[in-house]
Amino acid sequence: MYVVRITRADIGARVVIRRRIAGPVPLTDVIGTLQAWTAGVLTIEHANGEIISIPEGDLIAAKVIPPPPIRGAQRGQRQDPDVQDVEADR
């Protein structure tokens, strides 16, 4: 059973939305930040900057999800360049 678990109060949150689309596979998922929900249309910003508009009538399921995981190069970056890495100095 699908459930829409987001509201307008979730604007600014990272969400996953399952929606209807035309084509041989009638459903697809969108992950991004809920930017707006006005006049029956949700606006989602994908991580690559793409803006996706989804009519409320196409919603099948939706929920708020946690921030994306930290990937490869981001893990190795120092938070503060003034802090020395003790392990690197050994």
Side-chain angles (χ1 to χ4, degrees), residues 21-46:
I21 58 169
V25 180
L27 300 175
T28 189
D29 293 338
V30 175
I31 296 177
T33 302
L34 180 60
Q35 297 294 323
W37 189 339
T38 56
V41 177
L42 290 79
T43 303
I44 309 296
E45 181 177 6
H46 190 270

Side-chain angles (χ1 to χ4, degrees), residues 42-71:
L42 290 79
T43 303
I44 309 296
E45 181 177 6
H46 190 270
N48 67 8
E50 177 185 4
I51 301 296
I52 302 162
S53 296
I54 303 170
E56 283 179 359
D58 289 348
L59 288 178
I60 300 296
K63 66 181 180 179
V64 173
I65 58 174
I70 297 173
R71 305 250 182 227

